[in-house]
Amino acid sequence: MTQAFPETPAGTESTTGPTRLHHNAYVTRDQEATRAFYEDVIGLPLIATWKEADELFGAVRTYCHTFYGLGDGSALAFFQFADPADQEQFGPKMPHSPFQHIALKVTEDV
């Protein structure tokens, strides 16, 4: 299915609200498999990777956080937790549904 979205009419850009998506984040069980797909197959550049430790829900959680850049300056982000218990608690288990997805516009070559 192909759908064109209209351009924002000149002079109607918001100066107080969001202007675009910054990033959309997901939990992954395998950062390397995720990297191979988004970088090697689709061609999105890996633009940032770092290890973080934050207090989340009463405990310090350590995770790897990666970002893949999209052409409009936004990104797809992925978390992988160091502790298997944290990984199990925060995902990526999701109920089967065709409504939970992300759709990217790509060229025919991809």
Side-chain angles (χ1 to χ4, degrees):
M1 176 170 95
T2 302
Q3 181 172 349
F5 292 93
E7 295 295 319
T8 303
T12 63
E13 296 87 359
S14 172
T15 58
T16 58
T19 57
R20 67 172 175 82
L21 178 70
H22 183 271
H23 73 275
N24 200 6
Y26 299 92
V27 176
T28 181
R29 293 187 191 279
D30 186 338
Q31 282 283 13
E32 176 51 26
T34 300
R35 186 214 56 79
F37 177 73
Y38 285 101
E39 194 170 39
D40 296 345
V41 175
I42 293 183
L44 299 181
L46 177 62
I47 58 173
T49 302
W50 60 82
K51 177 184 150 187
E52 297 183 83
D54 292 318
E55 185 171 329
L56 301 169
F57 302 99
V60 174
R61 322 283 180 164
T62 301
Y63 51 89
C64 178
H65 198 187
T66 56
F67 287 82
Y68 298 86
L70 296 168
D72 68 353
S74 64
L76 291 179
F78 295 91
F79 297 92
Q80 183 175 358
F81 290 89
D83 184 331
D86 291 340
Q87 187 72 20
E88 185 64 30
Q89 180 178 352
F90 294 107
K93 198 182 303 182
M94 293 173 27
H96 178 71
S97 169
F99 301 107
Q100 296 173 341
H101 67 277
I102 186 151
L104 301 173
K105 182 178 179 180
V106 297
T107 65
E108 289 182 15
D109 296 336
V110 175

